[in-house]
């Protein structure tokens, strides 16, 4: 595979990275305006904040609403079941001193069975919800990646990063990607 970078561009990039690693003071001669991507040795780099894509796009908000509607009835049922179980436990605590040992043991067994059923249903609900969230997020991420590639090709970026410890705002193309996603591209 032939490299897109010339030996001089790679040398310059290595020189800059080694200067940064060893604490040498290397200053850029040209300051890029806020809306322009930064070029290092001819390489255009951009950054996309995926957290913002998952929270600020119409598709993400639609997915969240879809999941709320899809799981609302089960969540309501679980809340009712939990409240009912709590009431039964409170009533048992009140009545336990007046119960015979056999009655108390039987009621405890019933409450433990109800609690185990409730916990199982709650785990199933959470697992189903997490699976559906992951499906929706994966669809959004796939679509976002296609849009990022379109923006990168259209604006001739060499690299688009999605995770970094620090990113200068001049590199951030998240707003462009959100706009393109919301426009349905």
């Amino acid at each position: 595979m032939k490299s897109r970078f010339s030996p001089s561009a790679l040398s310059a990039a290595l020189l800059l990275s080694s200067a940064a690693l060893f604490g040498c003071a290397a200053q850029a001669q040209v300051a890029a305006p806020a809306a322009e991507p930064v070029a290092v040795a001819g390489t255009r780099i951009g950054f996309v904040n995926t957290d913002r894509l998952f929270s600020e796009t119409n598709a993400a908000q639609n997915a969240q609403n879809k999941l709320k509607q899809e799981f609302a009835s089960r969540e309501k049922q679980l809340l009712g079941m939990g409240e009912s179980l709590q009431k039964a436990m409170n009533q048992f605590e009140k009545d336990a001193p007046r119960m015979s040992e056999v009655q108390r043991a039987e009621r405890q067994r019933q409450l433990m069975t109800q609690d185990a059923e409730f916990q199982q249903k709650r785990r199933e609900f959470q697992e189903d919800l997490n699976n559906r969230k992951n499906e929706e997020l994966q669809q959004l991420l796939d679509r976002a990646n296609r849009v990022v590639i379109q923006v990168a090709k259209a604006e001739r970026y060499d690299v688009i990063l999605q995770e970094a410890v620090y990113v200068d705002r001049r590199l951030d193309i998240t707003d462009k990607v959100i706009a393109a996603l919301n426009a349905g591209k």
Side-chain angles (χ1 to χ4, degrees):
M1 180 175 174
K2 190 171 181 178
S3 173
R4 289 182 40 181
F5 303 110
S6 67
S8 61
L10 287 174
S11 297
L14 286 173
L15 181 62
L16 285 173
S17 63
S18 63
L21 283 173
F22 295 107
C24 297
Q27 295 182 353
Q29 297 298 316
V30 179
E36 290 297 314
V38 176
V40 176
T43 302
R44 289 184 57 158
I45 300 171
F47 171 77
V48 174
N49 184 330
T50 52
D51 290 339
R52 285 188 56 208
L53 295 180
F54 290 147
S55 63
E56 296 179 23
T57 60
N58 293 340
Q61 292 166 359
N62 290 342
Q64 288 172 352
N65 291 336
K66 182 178 174 182
L67 288 172
K68 281 180 185 176
Q69 288 178 342
E70 187 175 325
F71 286 90
S73 65
R74 279 180 67 188
E75 184 178 31
K76 186 176 180 180
Q77 181 184 19
L78 268 177
L79 288 173
M81 192 176 181
E83 289 172 1
S84 175
L85 180 60
Q86 187 61 47
K87 285 179 185 175
M89 288 180 168
N90 291 341
Q91 188 63 45
F92 171 72
E93 287 179 16
K94 284 181 183 177
D95 296 343
R98 293 185 298 274
M99 294 177 154
S100 69
E101 192 64 36
V102 174
Q103 289 174 321
R104 191 171 27 250
E106 177 61 23
R107 188 66 185 133
Q108 279 180 320
R109 187 188 62 70
Q110 289 172 350
L111 288 171
M112 288 174 54
T113 301
Q114 284 179 325
D115 185 52
E117 289 173 10
F118 173 69
Q119 296 300 332
Q120 178 64 30
K121 286 183 186 276
R122 195 174 74 185
R123 277 191 299 274
E124 289 171 359
F125 172 81
Q126 197 61 49
E127 186 176 309
D128 291 347
L129 179 61
N130 287 339
N131 287 338
R132 283 291 293 125
K133 275 184 182 177
N134 289 337
E135 288 172 12
E136 292 292 330
L137 286 175
Q138 188 59 50
Q139 289 175 7
L140 177 60
L141 185 60
D142 291 344
R143 194 166 152 229
N145 283 336
R146 286 191 300 273
V147 170
V148 167
I149 291 169
Q150 289 172 354
V151 170
K153 287 180 178 180
E155 297 188 18
R156 304 184 67 111
Y157 283 91
D158 295 306
V159 176
I160 303 292
L161 304 173
Q162 289 184 331
E163 290 187 31
V165 174
Y166 170 78
V167 176
D168 188 295
R169 66 177 176 79
R170 296 174 292 168
L171 300 176
D172 195 341
I173 64 166
T174 306
D175 290 335
K176 292 177 186 178
V177 175
I178 288 172
L181 280 168
N182 288 343
K185 292 184 180 179

